[in-house]
Amino acid sequence: MRHPFHPRRGQRFPVLKARYVAGVDTLILQDDGERLSFAIAREWTDLAVPNPCQRVDGSTARLDLGSLCDLVALLEILTARSCGGLVK
């Protein structure tokens, strides 16, 4: 369990089934301590396919490719100014 606000974060559970529920990739997990099963979104577990634009808390990265290119250009300008305009 990886979701930062889930009460069972850090615990491991056997997977009973994988299903799509309302379009969400969902795992049915077995809680051996209570002999119960429960469902959780796969993205909240370590079995999720990593998404480079998504953080663990579900938010997405704030910088897109265009923003990163603008940042590189700005850093080049600032570096040139700090070197007195000299190119090494």
Side-chain angles (χ1 to χ4, degrees):
M1 195 73 57
R2 294 184 331 162
H3 192 279
F5 304 115
H6 197 282
R8 295 180 179 187
R9 180 176 188 221
Q11 297 179 22
R12 300 189 68 79
F13 302 93
V15 177
L16 300 176
K17 298 177 188 175
R19 305 264 185 202
Y20 277 91
V21 178
V24 176
D25 190 7
T26 303
L27 299 174
I28 312 300
L29 305 178
Q30 175 72 43
D31 184 351
D32 288 331
E34 299 178 20
R35 296 282 185 200
L36 301 172
S37 62
F38 62 97
I40 188 157
R42 182 184 296 261
E43 66 187 52
W44 289 8
T45 73
D46 59 353
L47 298 176
V49 175
N51 179 345
C53 295
Q54 190 169 25
R55 299 179 181 142
V56 174
D57 66 2
S59 64
T60 56
R62 296 177 187 251
L63 295 176
D64 58 9
L65 181 58
S67 297
L68 289 174
C69 290
D70 291 344
L71 180 59
V72 168
L74 176 62
L75 290 173
E76 289 172 347
I77 291 169
L78 294 175
T79 302
R81 284 185 186 170
S82 68
C83 294
L86 301 175
V87 179
K88 294 182 180 181

